[in-house]
Every structure is written in structure tokens, then in C-alpha cells.
Amino acid sequence: MLRDSFGRVATDLRVSLTDKCNLRCTYCMPPEGLDWLPNPQLLTADEIVRLVSIGVERLGVTEVRYTGGEPLLRRELADVVARTTALTPRPQVSLTTNGIGLARLAGPLAEAGLDRVNISLDTLDPGTFKRLAHRDRHADVIAGLAAADEAGLRPVKVNAVLMRGVNDHEAVPLLRWCLDQGYELRFIEQMPLDAQHGWSREGMVTADEILGMLSASFDLTADDLEERGSAPAERFLVNGGPARVGVIGSVTRPFCGSCDRVRLTADGQVRNCLFATEESDLKTPMRAGASDDELAGRWVAAVARKRAGHGIDDPSFLQP
């Protein structure tokens, strides 16, 4: 098992398929983009499946989430999903995406066995979308959401980050729209993950503020805490249910104590936390001929060193 020194067991594996993205969202990267990893540094599809197989068949991983960058940019995505869902025991397999290209790929991904998707949508206004993402692709995201729903990739979850003075006035309209469409909306506090290091706590729209905005227009009832388990979102029934809205207070309401996630980067590094400043290399020993047992042992040792929390509130916190 992937157990750390605090007794937490990692069963949820997040796998980055690429560092590339076709948007330039201001809370993630500068408008001019970044220097992408050279292709030889990226894990191949076979290497990804091999490491995921080790996680599922030997180390107790029960859920695999493919992410990026933007995972839809990875041409082998449907094949990787199909090979993942064919593992025994079969893990739950999901995808976090910006939705661009999903209108074309939702059907093939569903056929490959993908269970569900999380799609980022921060605004209902195409002009605001263009200012936030530096790309005029709002209609593509809306089409991707509809295609995911039609393909049965449910529940279709929408991730929204509110930014002060930019789109924070859209909390209520976003929720109303998602309720009308049958999507489950989750607001996420802006985290210090932007490559240009422009994040500030003062500028962040907090979970309390989000709930205050929503409560002015909707009756919110906290969902069963036991049902939440290690899920990052605090979920609330909207107007008595059954529809729900989630709020992920990663900064002001951290859930590190129940974290069950571990991450595998696009270049084959084990990363215990989004905010970790250290990684453990699996790619190099794998390419040097390490056995599955050896790789599993390295992975177990890496997770054992996981820290108690992300430490954003600590004066010594360093943005990765």
C-alpha cells in the first residue's frame, strides 16, 4: 500500500499526460506560455500504462484521473484509457480537461471505458473567457460539456475558479446555468500554482465568500460529511436537492488530513502534493531496466515521505 508516515493511504492516482496546454489561463501561466518539456522526456504511452498498472495491481490504487497540462492534446489518450480500464481490479477512470476538443473525443473516450469528466469553465461570458484564457474558445468548451453529457460521462462536473474583479460576480449565474444543464458545479479557491507567481491571498476569493454569494440566492444544506470521505469538495444540497454544488477550499479549508492522492508527472516523477517542492524519479530506473517490484518499492518509499500538509499558511511556504 502507498501509506505515508501519518497513516494516510493513497488510492487516488492523478496522472499528468503532458505539460502542454492550448489555453493560457491567467491563474496558471503567462500569456506567452512556457518552455514545454522535450518529447523524449515525457513518458511514452506504454510507460504510463506500466506505471499505472503497478499502482493498480500492486499498490492499491482504485481511481485513476488523467490530467495535464491538457490531456486531450495527448494523441494516445483513448488507447491509454482503454488499457487502464482493462486492468484487474478495474479502477475508476476519469479525466480533468479544459473541454477543447471534447466534442470530437467524448464518444471515443466513453467507448474506451472512461467513467466521467471534470471540465473547467470559469465564466459564461465569451469576452471574459477570452480575457482569462487568452484564447477565443468559449464555444468549444460549451460544446465539449454537451458532448460529454450526451456520451454518458456523468456526472459531468464543472470546475470554476473565481477571480476578484474578473468573474466573481458570476457565482450565482454559473450555478443557475449548471443546474439548468444538469451539470455539477464545483468552485475552487485560486491556488498559488501560477507559473508567474502572481497569486496573493488578499486577491483570492475565499470559500466563505463563495458560499455567502450563493446563499443569497439559493438554500444550501451541507451534505453528509461521512459521505465526503477524502473528497476535496465540501458539497451542499441546493434548494433541498437532489442537485448539489461543491466548494473546494484548498487554501482556507485544507483537507490535507484526509488526502488520499498521489501524482505522477508527465516526465515520470512521483509527486505527493501539488505544492511539493520535491519529486521522486521513476522514469530513470524504469528506462534502466528496473523490475515492477523495484519500481513499486521506490513508489512506496516516495509516498512514505509525504508531508502532513501543503503549508500555505506557514511563513516558510515556498510556491513550487
Side-chain angles (χ1 to χ4, degrees):
M1 300 173 70
L2 294 171
R3 184 187 301 274
D4 65 34
S5 62
F6 300 94
R8 298 168 298 190
V9 177
T11 57
D12 185 341
L13 173 61
R14 309 294 171 98
V15 182
S16 174
L17 297 179
T18 179
D19 60 329
K20 297 180 177 67
C21 188
N22 42 13
L23 295 180
R24 299 291 182 270
C25 298
T26 55
Y27 51 76
C28 185
M29 68 173 76
E32 64 274 14
L34 300 167
D35 293 327
W36 310 124
L37 289 168
N39 281 341
Q41 290 187 24
L42 298 176
L43 293 177
T44 67
D46 287 344
E47 289 171 337
I48 291 166
V49 173
R50 181 184 176 192
L51 291 176
V52 170
S53 300
I54 291 170
V56 170
E57 296 174 350
R58 296 169 181 258
L59 299 174
V61 168
T62 59
E63 180 174 351
V64 178
R65 171 86 59 89
Y66 286 113
T67 70
E70 174 45 53
L72 294 182
L73 295 178
R74 187 79 189 227
R75 281 188 287 181
E76 309 100 328
L77 175 60
D79 176 61
V80 168
V81 168
R83 293 165 69 184
T84 305
T85 57
L87 295 174
T88 302
R90 185 201 189 281
Q92 288 288 305
V93 182
S94 57
L95 183 75
T96 295
T97 172
N98 63 28
I100 296 173
L102 193 56
R104 175 174 53 86
L105 292 171
L109 288 171
E111 291 175 10
L114 187 70
D115 294 303
R116 61 176 185 83
V117 291
N118 287 37
I119 301 173
S120 298
L121 179 66
D122 302 318
T123 176
L124 297 175
D125 180 68
T128 302
F129 183 95
K130 188 175 181 179
R131 287 193 296 275
L132 269 172
H134 297 278
R135 299 290 187 274
D136 190 11
R137 306 298 297 271
H138 186 264
D140 296 301
V141 180
I142 300 299
L145 280 158
D149 188 55
E150 185 177 346
L153 299 174
R154 304 187 191 101
V156 176
K157 295 187 178 181
V158 175
N159 293 342
V161 176
L162 296 182
M163 302 184 70
R164 199 175 303 283
V166 179
N167 65 336
D168 53 336
H169 61 288
E170 292 195 66
V172 169
L174 275 166
L175 179 52
R176 189 167 284 126
W177 183 78
C178 284
L179 293 173
D180 290 343
Q181 302 298 319
Y183 307 148
E184 184 174 324
L185 178 61
R186 309 192 319 167
F187 290 101
I188 305 174
E189 286 183 340
Q190 183 188 356
M191 294 178 281
L193 290 170
D194 56 312
Q196 63 271 37
H197 288 203
W199 178 90
S200 72
R201 180 154 187 152
E202 297 72 28
M204 181 187 68
V205 180
T206 67
D208 283 346
E209 290 178 275
I210 294 167
L211 289 171
M213 295 178 212
L214 298 179
S215 296
S217 298
F218 303 96
D219 178 25
L220 301 183
T221 307
D223 210 352
D224 189 346
L225 288 177
E226 290 185 10
E227 213 175 279
R228 179 184 178 187
S230 59
E234 295 180 68
R235 300 172 77 205
F236 299 85
L237 295 171
V238 181
N239 296 334
R244 291 172 171 83
V245 64
V247 178
I248 301 178
S250 304
V251 177
T252 65
R253 300 184 179 192
F255 41 88
C256 303
S258 60
C259 179
D260 65 350
R261 282 163 291 288
V262 64
R263 300 172 184 276
L264 183 65
T265 68
D267 59 344
Q269 311 294 311
V270 174
R271 192 176 182 87
N272 284 324
C273 176
L274 275 174
F275 303 99
T277 55
E278 298 175 346
E279 297 174 336
S280 300
D281 185 12
L282 293 183
K283 180 184 67 178
T284 300
M286 177 169 57
R287 291 183 175 177
S291 68
D292 287 357
D293 283 343
E294 290 172 315
L295 293 172
R298 287 175 176 269
W299 204 337
V300 168
V303 171
R305 297 191 291 271
K306 184 171 182 174
R307 297 190 175 189
H310 54 49
I312 293 176
D313 284 332
D314 192 292
S316 63
F317 173 76
L318 294 175
Q319 182 175 342

